Each structure stands twice: as structure tokens, then as C-alpha cells.
Amino acid sequence: MPIPEVDKIWFNGELVPWQEAKVHVLTHALHYGSGVFEGIRCYPTDRGPAVFRLTDHLSRMERSAKLYYMEIPYTPEQLHQATFDVIKANDLPGCYIRPIVFRGYGEMGLYPLNSPVDVAIAAWPWGAYLGEEGIAHGIRAKVASIQSLDDTCLARAAKACGQYLNSILAKVEVTKAGYDEAIMLDDHGHVAEGSGENVFLVRDGKVTTPFPSDGVLEGITRDTVLRICGSEGIPAEERTLSRSDLYVADEAFFTGTAAEIVPIREIDDHPIGEPGPITRRIQERYRDIVEGRDEEFAAFAELVS
Ligand code: PMP
């Protein structure tokens, strides 16, 4: 689906018309993937649009940039305000927000530190990444043959542009095989994550998700779900998970900013079934939190100002 165009994009400190937010073909990041980015959502609430955990997303982007030797030429406060400015300039009540920090036009070659660091923040309306039907009834997942890259190959904790070639291979493989989303294993065969989501399993009333050291991005939705479990009194822990754990789960779901909380109803043709009670409870609580109706987590819904 083409990106729905809105008016303005914030680009290196200015709000520019959507069509003018362009880069040169010799931009370093275009050749080598030398950029880091975030995926953030803004939700309409009773008190106006609120960006979900914006501060935490911008902190992760700082960490991602650091892992690839990039100094962001704006403070977190400036990027915070710039995000609000983009939402206001485009009059968006709810939207997806994509900040990107990347090595720009200057030098070619693999030593990047002499290339400029450019920053852009775009926002546009984007519905459920894996579909409304998926949120309601669950999706079909397949373990991809391509494994997730570990920290010996790249800075796994970073959300970096080039790293997504790994996810792209997994996504194409399982889509061509007729499934909705991939589950990737790490180099030990342990469960890592989806192509753009973290993965959770439920067995005997207990929620589990792989450790960050098992080749996963430290998802902000993942963290939110662990906190929801704490608040709801649902036992939850980080654990190394095997492929077999996937097949015998009572419930399973993906978490991610774009995807939100998406039940998995089948993995590799092993049925898991319609979304179960724990998945449903977490979905409901998540919705209340992002839409600013939850007192305990009120600080996560950052009102646009
Ligand atoms: N893993 C990968 C590979 C992702 O791209 C994402 C989406 N950012 C996630 C997990 C989930 O992270 P978050 O909940 O912060 O969106």
C-alpha cells in the first residue's frame, strides 16, 4: 500500500513540503544501510493526540546511533518537540511516526565518520500493520529458514537500517509460502523475534518471551506487555525459548509499535487457535494505555503540545 502523503516532513531542523524531503543518490546510508530509525505511534485520546512512550523511543534511537558511531546533531528535547511539530503541522490525530538518523551525502567508502549525519521525522496515518483481522482473530506464522543476526555480526541492540535486510529475507520467504509473519531463530536455534515484532508465548497461565541477549530488539511494546503482566498479576518471565515451545504454546502473540498486540493462531501448521484469555486481556489493557485511559501508565501517553 502506498504511503498516504501528508503536508510536511521535518528535515534537518525545518518543516519542508512532503515532496521536498529528498536526498542525493550518493547518500551513504542508501549504499551501506548506515542509519538508525524508530517506529512510533500517536493515538487520539480524550485530551488530544498522545505519542506513546516518545521519550523511550528517542532514548532507544540515541542508543542505536551510539552503537554505529553517530552523533545526533539535535538534543532529545529538540527531537521531542520536532515530533510534536510534525504531528501538529499535518493535523494528525492518530499516526505512525518515523524518525531516521542517517549518514548523508559527502564521502563514499566504508569508513563513515566523515559523512554528515542527517535527521528526518515523518508522520502519516498507518493502520494495523498485520491487519485488523489479524488483531481480532490471529495470524499464521512460520519459522523462517533465515536466522536472526547476533551481536558478533552487528550491533543487535540497535534499530538500524541495514539490519532490516535480515528481516526482509525472512518476511519475503514466509509471505511467499502463504503465511502472514516470520519467526526467526538465533544461531543456537533459540526463538528470537518476528521480522518486525517481538514474540510472546503463554503456557499454563505463564507468559514468556526471549531474553534481549537472544538476538531480539528490546521492544518498547515488549516492555509495556511485561509491565502489564506485572500490574495484572499474570506471571511473566524472560526465558530462552525453543522451537518446540512455539508448537506447544496455549497462546502466542507478536508485539510491536506498528503491529501492536497480534495473536498468533498457527505456527508452522501447528494450530494454536483463536486468541486466548491472557492475550485478550493484554490487548485490552494495551489499548487503554495507548489511548490514555489507564491511570497507572498515564505517563506513557505523552500529549502533543
Ligand atoms: N523487533 C524488531 C526487529 C522490530 O523491528 C520491532 C519494531 N520496532 C520490534 C521488535 C518491536 O519493537 P517496538 O515494540 O519497540 O516497536
Side-chain angles (χ1 to χ4, degrees):
M1 236 222 291
I3 303 172
E5 271 182 36
V6 296
D7 270 1
K8 304 272 193 209
I9 289 179
W10 187 93
F11 195 17
N12 287 336
E14 281 175 64
L15 285 166
V16 302
W18 179 276
Q19 286 295 349
E20 286 171 27
K22 290 185 177 160
V23 297
H24 195 273
V25 291
L26 296 182
T27 293
H28 196 274
L30 188 59
H31 295 253
Y32 304 122
S34 49
V36 299
F37 65 98
E38 274 302 316
I40 312 174
R41 269 191 194 275
C42 172
Y43 293 87
T45 77
D46 288 346
R47 287 173 294 152
V51 182
F52 185 61
R53 300 189 70 171
L54 176 58
T55 306
D56 295 323
H57 278 283
L58 293 176
S59 300
R60 185 170 67 185
M61 192 162 75
E62 284 275 339
R63 292 198 300 276
S64 298
K66 187 171 180 215
L67 284 164
Y68 284 104
Y69 308 94
M70 281 191 279
E71 209 170 300
I72 305 181
Y74 302 94
T75 62
E77 293 73 31
Q78 284 172 316
L79 296 179
H80 210 275
Q81 190 55 51
T83 305
F84 287 168
D85 291 345
V86 174
I87 295 165
K88 288 189 287 188
N90 293 300
D91 202 13
L92 293 165
C95 58
Y96 181 80
I97 304 152
R98 170 57 59 83
I100 181 164
V101 175
F102 59 100
R103 289 280 173 193
Y105 172 78
E107 288 190 8
M108 205 38 89
L110 289 172
Y111 186 78
L113 304 197
N114 298 322
S115 294
V117 174
D118 289 327
V119 184
I121 306 174
W124 64 88
W126 199 3
Y129 177 62
L130 294 171
E132 287 297 341
E133 179 69 15
I135 289 185
H137 296 291
I139 61 162
R140 297 175 62 237
K142 177 172 163 47
V143 173
S145 69
I146 190 96
Q147 75 185 32
S148 75
L149 291 165
D150 73 10
D151 248 351
T152 60
C153 308
L154 36 68
R156 185 67 227 181
K159 188 168 168 64
C161 300
Q163 293 178 202
Y164 279 85
L165 287 173
N166 185 223
S167 287
I168 284 173
L169 287 178
K171 183 79 178 179
V172 171
E173 177 189 337
V174 306
T175 305
K176 282 184 178 292
Y179 295 82
D180 303 304
E181 187 51 289
I183 295 175
M184 297 164 82
L185 308 178
D186 70 8
D187 56 333
H188 300 288
H190 300 145
V191 175
E193 60 183 345
S195 66
E197 306 85 12
N198 291 110
V199 64
F200 282 78
L201 302 179
V202 184
R203 200 168 102 202
D204 298 332
K206 189 173 189 180
V207 172
T208 52
T209 193
F211 289 109
S213 53
D214 284 340
V216 313
L217 184 73
E218 284 185 54
I220 286 165
T221 322
R222 173 188 182 278
D223 177 73
T224 307
V225 165
L226 290 172
R227 288 169 191 256
I228 290 173
C229 289
S231 167
E232 295 278 323
I234 301 168
E237 66 171 20
E238 295 175 325
R239 192 158 89 72
T240 297
L241 295 169
S242 68
R243 190 172 184 145
S244 304
D245 290 318
L246 295 173
Y247 301 154
V248 296
D250 301 325
E251 302 180 38
F253 56 91
F254 284 121
T255 66
T257 298
E260 302 178 310
I261 315 282
V262 180
I264 305 173
R265 68 181 153 86
E266 195 181 307
I267 304 175
D268 288 349
D269 306 309
H270 289 276
I272 293 177
E274 277 285 311
I278 290 181
T279 308
R280 283 286 184 237
R281 183 69 206 114
I282 292 169
Q283 277 184 314
E284 282 163 20
R285 189 82 192 268
Y286 185 72
R287 181 109 336 251
D288 284 344
I289 296 170
V290 296
E291 292 179 358
R293 287 187 300 272
D294 194 289
E295 248 175 56
E296 185 180 345
F297 296 109
F300 284 168
E302 301 186 28
L303 285 175
V304 173
S305 60

